[in-house]
Amino acid sequence: MPDSIRTKAIFHGTVQGVGFRAITRHQAGSFQVTGTVRNLPDGTVELIAEGSPDQVQRFIASVEEALRHRIEFVDRCDSQATDEFTTFQIT
C-alpha cells in the first residue's frame, strides 16, 4: 500500500470478555485496513491496523466510539506499514 501506516493501539479498561475483538473485526469491514486484534495477558486488547493514514485513523476512531463505555484509555504508536497482513483478523 503506498503511503500506508501501521498503528498499534493498546486499549485499557473493561475490554476483555465483552465482544471487543468481534466488534473491532466487524468495524474493520467498513474501512480499507488490514491487521489484527488480540487479547493480551494483562487484560488489555492490542489492535494493529495498516492502511492509509485516513483509513486507519477513521477505523480506530470508530472502534473507540463503538466501545467508548469499555475503554479507559488508549496507548497508540504509529510507524511505517510492514504489509505483513492481507486481511483484518482476530488472533
Side-chain angles (χ1 to χ4, degrees), residues 7 14 17 28-29 37 40 66-67 88:
T7 296
T14 307
V37 62
L40 297 178
L67 295 158
F88 192 90

Side-chain angles (χ1 to χ4, degrees), residues 1 3 7 10-11 16-17 24 30 32-33 48 50 53 55 58-59 61 63 66 70 72 87:
M1 285 181 227
D3 300 318
T7 296
I10 305 292
F11 294 88
Q16 289 191 11
T24 299
S30 298
Q32 294 177 351
V33 296
I48 298 173
E50 292 191 353
Q55 287 290 298
R58 290 177 53 216
F59 166 53
V63 171
R70 300 285 181 192
E72 291 178 13
T87 62

